[in-house]
Amino acid sequence: MANVDVTRIASNIGALNALNSLTMINSKLAMHQTRLSTGKRINSAADDPAGLTIATKMLARSEGLKVALSNIGDANNMLAVAEAGLSKMNDILVQMRGKAEQAASDTLGTTERNAIQTQLSAYAEQIQDLVDQTKWNGVKLLDRTTGTKQFQTGVDEGEYTQWSLSTALDPNTGLMVSTNVPDNKVTADATSIGAGLAIIAAAETGTLVGALSRLTTGSYGVKVVAANASATDSSFTETGGSLAPYASITKVGTGAATLASDAYSLNITGVSGTAGAYVLTYNLVDSTGNTEAGSPFTTAALDFTAGDHFHIQGDGTNGQQVNIGAGTDISNWVSGAKLTFDVLKATEAKLQLQRGDSSVISVSKDGTDTVASSYFYKAAGGVANSGTGASVTLGTAAQLAAKAAAGGLSSFSYAAANKYSVDVSTATVAASYMTTVNGAMDKVNTTMASLGSLMARLTFKEDAVATAQVNVEGAYSRIMNANMAEEQMNASKYTILQQTAVAMLAQANQAPQSLLALFR
């Protein structure tokens, strides 16, 4: 600072010094007042260029950590939605296993198992609904096709946390507790079919007939009960009745039989006449309750004592006849008595449709009858329609006869069209389905465990990020924000200095006036 020389009045050095000091003080006072008014230590780059650079980066990191905290919270909330869906899915699977266990007991009948199948199918569809409807911001959480979920849980690029499903959770291809069956389908086991009988494996294998019910999903069998390998004759088998042992039915002559293959009942409706010349009236009824055309029929005079016979079909030489035993007690031949028998025409087979539990299913005996029967009939080489949605293709007459002799049962599976088909049609299949549901529960539980572990990990990460954010914010504050106590002290100091500088400037301006005394 220049020395003051009051003898030189052309320049007022004292005043200039006082003015410079006042200017500096005003600048300092303005800086501290700005800091007090803004709370910031650095209000312009000129205040602290290096500090501003460091603080700006710290501010960006602090704000980034805040966003990461928000992302972690959102991720936890999203995963909580997924967990709720998985939990409900597990509840459904527990119910499904219970129903399967119920169906695994032979205390249930076909109707009850069908009802359980319907319920299980509805449960499987509900699982699909959970997969489709468990969403976060429109994104499916339990659908593996949506890929890996990536959460930005750190400040910098690459600092993310991932979550993805370890397995698909849809009921058909993931959990496999149901099957998508677009159309009615028959699947035959070639090893059980053997020669002589084949199941048509097609989308639609048989037209539904009359009031018959279509097969439900499950295991079935077609049994060749009997087969007539003869190419020239028909088979007649007495099956019992109240007239036995007083009568039997036989085939006579070489002519072709005129009765269709079926189970018949000869029902006595009346007896008249006297000894040696009794006359019978009777009806001939097939397996579906239809009475043969021409009924009631009337016999010629019969001699029960000597034994006799009468024709029930044919021309008297060819056809079927009832043989009466000699000495038959006429008291047994009363209205209501009957004789039952089967007719199986040449090269034809008698078939029976069974469920997996061996119970018999009502069928159409020839693919057209609207009245249900226990058996259906078809010639060798033909396609027999059961009328319930499944058909069978027959082999040769010899093959069919061999099939009947060997027990005759061929197994197949029927799957009714259903996007969520479930099969618990037999106790064995239901027991196997229990294992299937157990496997599905394991998949869901594994997914829940993975999800829970990630949620716990995110909780730890949330704590760490929160701590880091506080620390970075603290470091930023020390650089960027003003120490208000210190700034207030400095402002007070420079306010006083400002006042003294003004006073000194006034004195400095008065000092040169002392030289005026030299000019008096």
Side-chain angles (χ1 to χ4, degrees):
M1 181 178 293
N3 294 324
V4 177
D5 185 358
V6 296
T7 64
R8 303 176 187 275
I9 62 173
S11 295
N12 192 346
I13 300 302
L16 287 174
N17 285 335
L19 179 60
N20 286 338
S21 295
L22 180 60
T23 301
M24 180 189 68
I25 291 169
N26 285 340
S27 176
K28 294 288 187 179
L29 178 60
M31 179 185 69
H32 290 296
Q33 286 177 334
T34 300
R35 288 177 177 177
L36 285 170
S37 62
T38 63
K40 297 289 185 180
R41 189 182 74 85
I42 302 174
N43 289 284
S44 70
D47 292 342
D48 187 351
L52 180 62
T53 300
I54 295 171
T56 300
K57 290 183 178 180
M58 286 187 173
L59 177 62
R61 187 167 188 82
S62 176
E63 293 300 316
L65 289 169
K66 290 179 183 178
V67 175
L69 277 175
S70 178
N71 288 345
I72 293 171
D74 289 343
N76 264 324
N77 290 336
M78 189 190 85
L79 295 178
V81 172
E83 182 185 24
L86 289 170
S87 179
K88 182 54 64 177
M89 193 178 292
N90 224 357
D91 291 343
I92 294 174
L93 289 172
V94 170
Q95 293 294 321
M96 293 179 79
R97 190 193 181 284
K99 289 299 178 182
E101 185 175 355
Q102 186 178 1
S105 173
D106 277 330
T107 56
L108 298 184
T110 301
T111 301
E112 290 75 18
R113 284 201 177 94
N114 286 342
I116 288 177
Q117 285 191 167
T118 300
Q119 188 171 359
L120 289 174
S121 178
Y123 284 169
E125 186 171 3
Q126 182 57 36
I127 289 177
Q128 184 63 56
D129 285 347
L130 284 173
V131 172
D132 292 336
Q133 297 171 12
T134 303
K135 299 178 181 179
W136 180 269
N137 287 335
V139 178
K140 294 181 181 180
L141 303 180
L142 303 182
D143 185 353
R144 198 180 184 193
T145 61
T146 59
T148 300
K149 310 296 185 299
Q150 185 168 295
F151 313 125
Q152 183 68 31
T153 55
V155 178
D156 300 318
E157 180 183 358
E159 295 180 352
Y160 55 78
T161 304
Q162 290 182 323
W163 174 66
S164 62
L165 294 175
S166 58
T167 182
L169 297 174
D170 62 287
N172 288 344
T173 61
L175 301 180
M176 295 183 291
V177 294
S178 61
T179 305
N180 183 7
V181 182
D183 301 294
N184 300 319
K185 182 180 179 181
V186 169
T187 304
D189 180 0
T191 59
S192 73
I193 298 300
L197 186 67
I199 306 295
I200 301 175
E204 184 60 55
T205 61
T207 306
L208 197 64
V209 173
L212 293 175
S213 298
R214 186 175 297 281
L215 296 179
T216 56
T217 297
S219 301
Y220 296 90
V222 175
K223 184 175 183 179
V224 182
V225 179
N228 185 6
S230 171
T232 59
D233 203 353
S234 296
S235 171
F236 301 90
T237 304
E238 184 183 349
T239 56
S242 58
L243 296 185
Y246 305 103
S248 62
I249 184 170
T250 59
K251 170 71 164 52
V252 294
T254 58
T258 55
L259 284 177
S261 297
D262 201 355
Y264 292 90
S265 175
L266 187 153
N267 300 325
I268 302 296
T269 59
V271 180
S272 60
T274 59
Y278 291 106
V279 176
L280 305 179
T281 57
Y282 63 91
N283 292 325
L284 197 57
V285 181
D286 66 15
S287 62
T288 57
N290 294 321
T291 302
E292 289 293 308
S295 293
F297 300 100
T298 303
T299 68
L302 301 173
D303 184 355
F304 280 47
T305 302
D308 209 338
H309 64 268
F310 61 91
H311 291 273
I312 59 173
Q313 191 75 26
D315 57 10
T317 302
N318 299 299
Q320 302 92 48
Q321 70 178 24
V322 176
N323 304 303
I324 302 171
T328 295
D329 186 353
I330 187 61
S331 63
N332 293 297
W333 294 70
V334 294
S335 179
K338 65 181 180 179
L339 176 66
T340 58
F341 61 96
D342 287 350
V343 174
L344 196 56
K345 298 188 74 171
T347 71
E348 291 194 359
K350 179 181 181 180
L351 309 170
Q352 189 178 61
L353 187 61
Q354 300 179 354
R355 296 184 180 86
D357 59 5
S358 300
S359 59
V360 177
I361 301 172
S362 295
V363 292
S364 167
K365 68 179 180 181
D366 62 0
T368 59
D369 283 345
T370 58
V371 181
S373 173
S374 297
Y375 302 96
F376 57 119
Y377 303 83
K378 196 67 180 181
V383 178
N385 177 18
S386 69
T388 61
S391 298
V392 293
T393 301
L394 280 64
T396 66
Q399 288 174 328
L400 290 169
K403 190 77 174 178
L409 186 64
S410 297
S411 301
F412 69 95
S413 297
Y414 185 89
N418 182 0
K419 192 172 182 180
Y420 303 98
S421 178
V422 177
D423 182 10
V424 289
S425 56
T426 67
T428 301
V429 173
S432 177
Y433 186 73
M434 288 170 59
T435 302
T436 299
V437 177
N438 285 339
M441 291 173 65
D442 288 342
K443 291 180 180 180
V444 174
N445 288 333
T446 298
T447 303
M448 288 188 70
S450 172
L451 184 67
S453 298
L454 180 59
M455 292 175 73
R457 177 186 170 191
L458 287 176
T459 299
F460 291 133
K461 185 177 286 291
E462 185 176 28
D463 293 341
V465 170
T467 301
Q469 193 276 327
V470 171
N471 291 335
V472 171
E473 183 72 23
Y476 165 80
S477 179
R478 289 187 65 83
I479 296 173
M480 196 70 182
N481 295 330
N483 183 331
M484 300 301 283
E486 181 181 0
E487 298 301 330
Q488 180 61 46
M489 178 191 71
N490 288 329
S492 298
K493 177 181 73 173
Y494 284 112
T495 298
I496 296 171
L497 288 174
Q498 182 187 52
Q499 294 173 2
T500 59
V502 169
M504 292 306 100
L505 177 60
Q507 290 181 12
N509 285 332
Q510 292 175 356
Q513 295 180 7
S514 63
L515 293 178
L516 293 177
L518 299 175
F519 296 97
R520 293 177 182 166

